[in-house]
Amino acid sequence: MANKKIKQIAIYGKGGIGKSTTTSNISAALVKQGFKVMQFGCDPKSDSTNTLRGGKYIPTVLDTLREKTTVKASEVIHEGFGGVYCVEAGGPAPGVGCAGRGIITAVQLFKQQRVFEELDLDFVIYDVLGDVVCGGFAVPIREGIAEHVFTVSSADFMAVYAANNLFRGIHKYSNAGGALLGGVIANSINAPYAKEIIDDFVKQTKTQVVEYVPRSVTVTQSELQGKTTIEAAPNSEQAKIYTRLALKIAEHTESKVPEPLDVHELREWASKWADHLLALETGEVTSKASCI
Amino acid sequence: MIKILDQPRYVCALGAMQTVQGIYRGVPVLHAGPGCAGKLAAGIAGNNGDSGYISPQIYPCSNVTEKEIIFGGEERLAETIENALRVVDGDIFVVLSGCTAEIVGDDIAKVSSRFANMEKPVVYVETAGFKGNNLEGHEWVINAIIEQYLAKKPVKEKVKGLVNIWGPVPSYDPFWVGNIRELEKLLIEIGLTPNAIFGEYRGIENIDKIPQAEFNLLVSPWVGLKNVKLLEEKFQTPYLHYPTLPIGAFETGKFLRTVGKYAGVDVEVVEAVIERHEKEYYYHIERTSDVFLENRTMSRRFSTVTNATDALAISKFLVNDFGLVPEKQYITDDTPEEYRDSIEKYFTEFEYGIEAKVTFSKDAYRIHEEIRNCDYFGPPLIIGSIFEKKLTKELSGNFLAVSVPIKERLILHSSYVGYHGGLRLLEDIYTYVLKQFN
């Protein structure tokens, strides 16, 4: 345990895009490969780790801190599927207080107590709230926390917009030793044009797609059982995709500084795609991927 | 580019807690972090308001810490107000919020409104430091009392001759008590009835009289303008804005004539008061003129480094009454932009066509550099705060601290206002000058 390098990863993306689903399946797949993993939910909703714990909520760091002045990290770590260490930062009720500060406090508490080293972890995966609305939600990408950031995005414009915003955050912190971008996890990629949109976006922003994850009813069925796909349908096609993604992330070593589009470029880019999709619908042009 | 602000002479809006302390039996209730009150008091109260009926060390405070930041501090504030009402025997409770509480969006209006039906009035003011300075905060406190307390009371008849006095800011003006008392005395002498809310034994009783005044008298270049305008709007009380705090015979005579005329006081009454005072005043000037005229340790030139009120009042006195020549005057109170043009104009209205240049600056480093590079034709007179002491020594000049931070002198009821105030100011300036001989 002496000099073991813990790989710390942060997963960002627009709210509702499938971050927690993807993160939990990555964690589940990694423990199945024999790694020691902690999943750290950084969202006041505190439901990141639910599918690793049979759909059950766990007491959060901040709930515990609300009741006591000091919190031992061990009190808020709960084991989930395959021994994944589950932690939820938690936060205030909607409309009061400062959730961003809550994330900072929770992450710092773990860092100060050197929990990751003591647990001899291989991976810590931060599952961060959709919109990086303030400095608190940028904590995992700041110096000394995560090294690699992955963003979950569909081909939906708002998801791409959120991803581009995240790239701007990474760009900002990149000179100060912050995390760099590993790539995009392209989620809900079923329509041919969806793959083309994401591919074009990563090309524009000088990054890469780590994996294409199709929308699948298996995921929904598993989640309704309170489980990850890896646990509920280990032999499914979807589980194979999540395992492949997890292994790629495990092997990933070199992250880069992305080149986010500015607001005008992003709008122009989106408008070009809107025209293209409209033309596809009306049958004016044929997509290169239409034969797939 | 990042700038370092050297030796600022004002504090953040929460410093207006001292305005509440200035109201006898007024209780500031802070929704702020531990330490805010202490630090602010050290900045502007110092040895002139650190204790009293209630003091910055014991103001009720929610002591916002990380827990309140994350989860919101509204309940903690409610608890603090509730206990303050239970424990502190006060007449009016003013809730003031600090930065952190406002950044996380605590609704202090909503929390304070829960106490609307208590026996003692509870009003609130949003005084987050990032919103403004303590002088703006002072105005917000008074406006909060007007809007949330006075405007809700039944309308009473105006009282002939009753005049509200506004201008001196508690604690921030180290001479505030004495200055207000002198203004009161001057008004009484010309037959008016002054009403001031700050200082000993005035308090809520005088606050209640505010709407009944015949007019509001604001004696300040800018602080308080928002208050008298609000009073005009709420109670149809007109106001007289007299920008210069009167020091010495010239300005005090002008002040009495202006106020007397505005209030409809018989000219003969006003002139008799002026004549009586001037006789006494010039007697003292005359018998001491050798000291003033025949010393070699002070040139005839001076600068002030202070707030707008003192810079204007003192420079008018030194020029109009005393014949000194103004070099640049430095205004350090973070005067809002909207008032700067009119204040600069006041400095072009000295007697004998004399004008003074004015610089608004919060940065003592730049101010001191300019003073070092200015030729005062001999040892200058620098009037400012303790920050100018070393500088003046370096220039072998003459120094007097009149505004915060003062630190080296105790001020109880002294004042530079009026005829006696002018003489007092001369005593203080020339005591330093005479010490130069030793």
Side-chain angles (χ1 to χ4, degrees):
Chain A
M1 125 178 191
N3 290 319
K4 179 171 160 184
K5 174 88 176 149
I6 303 164
K7 198 163 195 174
Q8 300 204 50
I9 288 157
I11 296 188
Y12 282 77
K14 178 183 169 291
I17 205 68
K19 285 183 305 297
S20 296
T21 303
T22 310
T23 309
S24 298
N25 276 294
I26 293 170
S27 295
L30 287 172
V31 286
K32 275 189 90 174
Q33 299 295 320
F35 292 112
K36 294 185 87 172
V37 181
M38 176 180 282
Q39 181 164 323
F40 201 122
C42 297
D43 186 331
K45 288 201 308 295
S46 59
D47 57 359
S48 166
T49 58
N50 278 20
T51 55
L52 291 164
R53 302 226 350 126
K56 290 185 192 129
Y57 283 86
I58 55 174
T60 71
V61 180
L62 294 176
D63 281 345
T64 317
L65 198 64
R66 195 201 306 244
E67 286 151 20
K68 300 195 283 184
T69 47
T70 54
V71 174
K72 279 189 192 160
S74 55
E75 296 171 45
V76 287
I77 299 172
H78 299 266
E79 282 196 34
F81 169 76
V84 176
Y85 296 110
C86 301
V87 178
E88 295 286 353
V96 294
C98 179
R101 183 66 220 175
I103 302 296
I104 296 172
T105 307
V107 172
Q108 280 178 351
L109 185 122
F110 268 63
K111 220 182 146 191
Q112 283 159 6
Q113 296 188 15
R114 300 183 60 79
V115 181
F116 306 149
E117 292 82 356
E118 278 175 25
L119 289 174
D120 192 24
L121 296 175
D122 296 298
F123 291 94
V124 179
I125 309 180
Y126 298 93
D127 174 16
V128 192
L129 176 79
D131 296 307
V132 186
V133 285
C134 70
F137 297 99
V139 158
I141 57 172
R142 274 151 58 173
E143 189 184 4
I145 313 282
E147 296 161 85
H148 307 283
V149 178
F150 294 89
T151 179
V152 180
S153 178
S154 69
D156 178 64
F157 178 67
M158 292 317 290
V160 171
Y161 180 85
N164 191 65
N165 262 356
L166 171 69
F167 293 179
R168 290 165 72 177
I170 294 172
H171 197 269
K172 172 179 157 60
Y173 287 111
S174 62
N175 291 331
L180 301 181
L181 184 67
V184 175
I185 299 166
N187 202 29
S188 305
I189 303 298
N190 290 54
Y193 66 80
K195 183 172 178 298
E196 285 182 61
I197 291 173
I198 285 288
D199 284 344
D200 190 29
F201 174 65
V202 297
K203 189 178 158 199
Q204 299 287 333
T205 52
K206 307 280 189 293
T207 181
Q208 59 172 344
V209 172
V210 188
E211 188 60 75
Y212 302 94
V213 182
R215 178 174 279 282
S216 161
V217 74
T218 316
V219 177
T220 316
Q221 281 171 336
S222 307
E223 294 207 329
L224 287 171
Q225 295 171 46
K227 290 176 181 170
T228 60
T229 307
I230 297 286
E231 183 184 6
N235 300 318
S236 63
E237 228 5 76
Q238 196 75 5
K240 283 178 195 157
I241 295 170
Y242 280 132
T243 304
R244 197 163 67 219
L245 169 63
L247 290 174
K248 281 184 186 172
I249 287 175
E251 284 157 17
H252 177 86
T253 51
E254 201 187 333
S255 289
K256 291 177 180 164
V257 182
E259 290 182 20
L261 302 173
D262 70 28
V263 179
H264 300 294
E265 289 170 338
L266 191 63
R267 278 193 195 138
E268 244 173 60
W269 176 85
S271 139
K272 189 191 76 188
W273 270 102
D275 292 345
H276 183 64
L277 293 180
L278 188 66
L280 263 182
E281 288 237 326
T282 52
E284 285 175 30
V285 290
T286 307
S287 158
K288 277 191 274 179
S290 62
C291 56
I292 297 171
Chain B
M1 199 178 88
I2 295 169
K3 283 185 191 167
I4 295 170
L5 194 57
D6 196 14
Q7 301 171 341
R9 295 121 200 276
Y10 60 92
V11 295
C12 77
L14 187 60
M17 63 187 194
Q18 290 309 101
T19 297
V20 184
Q21 191 205 25
I23 299 167
Y24 183 65
R25 290 172 60 86
V27 181
V29 179
L30 309 190
H31 188 31
C36 284
K39 290 270 186 197
L40 295 170
I44 60 168
N47 45 12
N48 177 41
D50 256 3
S51 56
Y53 188 76
I54 191 159
S55 76
Q57 280 70 30
I58 54 162
Y59 290 162
C61 178
S62 57
N63 282 345
V64 169
T65 55
E66 192 151 39
K67 192 182 279 186
E68 285 76 32
I69 297 303
I70 296 170
F71 299 108
E74 292 180 5
E75 286 314 306
R76 175 88 182 116
L77 173 62
E79 195 183 301
T80 309
I81 301 172
E82 196 182 325
N83 288 330
L85 285 164
R86 190 177 299 149
V87 174
V88 186
D89 180 18
D91 286 340
I92 182 165
F93 292 74
V94 180
V95 180
L96 302 108
S97 53
C99 301
T100 46
E102 287 198 40
I103 287 172
V104 304
D106 282 353
D107 189 345
I108 70 158
K110 190 182 77 188
V111 176
S112 304
S113 69
R114 287 197 222 165
F115 300 90
N117 298 321
M118 303 301 283
E119 192 191 340
K120 302 292 171 66
V122 176
V123 304
Y124 71 91
V125 205
E126 291 174 353
T127 43
F130 51 79
K131 284 187 169 175
N133 62 36
N134 60 300
L135 294 173
E136 291 169 293
H138 166 84
E139 289 187 320
W140 302 339
V141 165
I142 295 170
N143 274 2
I145 293 171
I146 296 166
E147 285 182 314
Q148 297 168 42
Y149 173 65
L150 287 176
K152 291 179 181 166
K153 291 172 78 77
V155 182
K156 286 186 185 169
E157 293 264 304
K158 299 277 186 213
V159 174
K160 176 82 184 146
L162 186 67
V163 182
N164 296 324
I165 296 176
W166 306 102
V169 177
S171 281
Y172 181 73
D173 172 2
F175 299 89
W176 64 280
V177 182
N179 285 349
I180 294 171
R181 296 296 160 262
E182 285 303 319
L183 291 171
E184 286 175 340
K185 281 181 200 163
L186 290 170
L187 261 58
I188 290 169
E189 286 195 70
I190 58 169
L192 297 170
T193 311
N195 183 51
I197 66 170
F198 299 116
E200 75 280 14
Y201 318 124
R202 269 66 175 177
I204 195 83
E205 202 181 311
N206 283 17
I207 290 178
D208 287 342
K209 286 187 216 158
I210 289 171
Q212 293 179 275
E214 198 181 344
F215 67 94
N216 286 293
L217 172 62
L218 174 65
V219 191
S220 147
W222 70 272
V223 182
L225 263 172
K226 286 194 165 65
N227 304 134
V228 292
K229 284 178 180 168
L230 183 66
L231 286 167
E232 185 175 52
E233 182 195 319
K234 294 282 177 193
F235 308 115
Q236 294 74 52
T237 317
Y239 66 86
L240 170 62
H241 179 201
Y242 194 87
T244 313
L245 193 64
I247 301 177
F250 185 88
E251 197 64 38
T252 309
K254 195 172 161 191
F255 170 79
L256 288 172
R257 287 184 182 105
T258 308
V259 175
K261 190 177 175 192
Y262 190 84
V265 178
D266 190 339
V267 177
E268 282 180 19
V269 171
V270 175
E271 291 305 325
V273 170
I274 293 171
E275 192 187 339
R276 180 163 48 84
H277 277 296
E278 287 192 351
K279 265 177 98 173
E280 181 199 6
Y281 179 85
Y282 287 116
Y283 166 76
H284 291 293
I285 300 282
E286 209 173 10
R287 74 190 179 91
T288 325
S289 48
D290 276 1
V291 174
F292 300 142
L293 299 171
E294 295 190 13
N295 76 77
R296 293 176 186 177
T297 57
M298 191 171 99
S299 77
R300 310 300 294 166
R301 290 170 189 262
F302 74 95
S303 283
T304 58
V305 187
T306 181
N307 55 71
T309 302
D310 287 339
L312 184 62
I314 292 169
S315 58
K316 285 237 174 173
F317 169 72
L318 293 178
V319 175
N320 293 345
D321 273 47
F322 218 61
L324 297 192
V325 180
E327 284 296 341
K328 201 182 251 186
Q329 309 301 308
Y330 298 92
I331 296 181
T332 55
D333 63 5
D334 190 27
T335 314
E337 288 286 343
E338 62 190 294
Y339 303 118
R340 293 189 178 187
D341 286 349
S342 57
I343 290 172
E344 277 188 62
K345 193 167 168 288
Y346 300 144
F347 284 87
T348 63
E349 295 166 353
F350 294 105
E351 287 303 290
Y352 327 112
I354 294 172
E355 295 185 3
K357 282 189 179 159
V358 177
T359 289
F360 293 91
S361 176
K362 299 179 272 185
D363 187 351
Y365 174 80
R366 295 181 63 179
I367 295 169
H368 289 184
E369 276 304 290
E370 280 197 23
I371 290 177
R372 279 190 188 98
N373 293 317
C374 173
D375 185 359
Y376 288 87
F377 297 89
L381 169 63
I382 308 291
I383 293 184
S385 74
I386 195 74
F387 292 144
E388 279 62 55
K389 190 174 184 176
K390 267 189 186 171
L391 171 79
T392 313
K393 208 167 185 181
E394 180 189 320
L395 303 172
S396 303
N398 300 280
F399 163 73
L400 183 64
V402 297
S403 55
V404 293
I406 284 193
K407 305 293 180 190
E408 67 169 9
R409 58 188 290 199
L410 181 69
I411 298 147
L412 297 174
H413 73 305
S414 312
S415 168
Y416 292 142
V417 165
Y419 297 92
H420 290 167
L423 295 177
R424 174 67 202 255
L425 180 55
L426 287 179
E427 285 174 0
D428 289 350
I429 292 171
Y430 281 87
T431 296
Y432 193 99
V433 172
L434 291 172
K435 278 183 188 170
Q436 303 281 66
F437 288 109
N438 300 327

